Amino acid sequence: MSSRRFLSIVVVCAVSLGGACSSDAEPDAVATLPTVPADQVTVAPTFVDPTVAPARADASPLVLDAVVFEGEPIVVLRNAGDAPYDLVGHFLCNRPAYMPLPETTIAPGEVFEVDVAALALDPTDGEVGVYTSSAYDDPSAMIRYVQWGQAEHGRTTTAVAAGLWTDGEAIGNGGASLFATNDDPISAAGWSVG
């Protein structure tokens, strides 16, 4: 910046302070700056990491925490919220198989294991959707989803429409169990294989 431009900025600042720095001002006097209307205030942009999926505002506190294939297959649900979570009216789906969840309440931070033999899960290729009702093709009824093996299953389009899964993604697990790595896993990157 040139010294002339810097000097003019200093002069403008001194003039806008109304002479608060002059020798006539009282020693304890504080200059009053003009108030800027709220609609003219500019807020600096927030940095968003493009590699991290943002949490959805409507994300359910019920997390699909694991799909375990060793022994009898089970689905592990976890309440990540701070209030009890009621499973009444909830369903699991591996299209074309569906099953109601037991009528129970999961305490905050607790897990609940569900025997899913009725879903006939294939360890190398399948899906699990968690629903708040039996409206299986309604994206607003689905609250969690995971798929492995192929990238297209019976309820994949519903999960993508609900913002619960990334289109074209599936977990290559080779028949091993799946474990969520965060509270809102909406892509293959949100799962580990073990």
Side-chain angles (χ1 to χ4, degrees):
M1 177 183 331
S2 73
S3 60
R4 186 182 339 181
R5 185 169 177 199
F6 178 73
L7 180 59
S8 66
I9 291 172
V10 171
V11 171
V12 169
C13 289
V15 170
S16 68
L17 290 175
C21 296
S22 72
S23 60
D24 295 340
E26 294 180 24
D28 294 335
V30 177
T32 304
L33 297 176
T35 305
V36 178
D39 63 341
Q40 294 180 8
V41 174
T42 303
V43 178
T46 304
F47 175 74
V48 177
D49 186 346
T51 64
V52 177
R56 293 180 328 280
D58 62 343
S60 171
L62 185 65
V63 177
L64 178 55
D65 216 28
V67 182
V68 181
F69 298 113
E70 289 77 25
E72 288 296 318
I74 62 168
V75 164
V76 180
L77 301 172
R78 179 172 48 89
N79 180 357
D82 55 8
Y85 191 93
D86 192 352
L87 292 180
V88 171
H90 286 57
F91 291 81
L92 292 179
C93 163
N94 174 35
R95 189 175 181 192
Y98 305 93
M99 64 175 279
L101 283 168
E103 295 183 358
T104 190
T105 299
I106 306 174
E110 297 294 317
V111 297
F112 182 70
E113 295 181 356
V114 184
D115 177 351
V116 290
L119 291 180
L121 295 179
D122 177 346
T124 61
D125 186 46
E127 68 180 342
V128 172
V130 182
Y131 288 82
T132 57
S133 75
S134 60
Y136 304 117
D137 60 348
D138 181 357
S140 68
M142 183 186 277
I143 57 173
R144 295 291 173 199
Y145 182 82
V146 64
Q147 71 176 354
W148 59 96
Q150 297 179 17
E152 189 69 33
H153 291 91
R155 294 297 174 198
T156 304
T157 55
T158 305
V160 170
L164 297 171
W165 197 252
T166 303
D167 195 19
E169 286 196 8
I171 302 166
N173 66 328
S177 297
L178 309 169
F179 300 93
T181 59
N182 62 63
D183 289 347
D184 196 16
I186 60 170
S187 70
W191 291 84
S192 66
V193 176

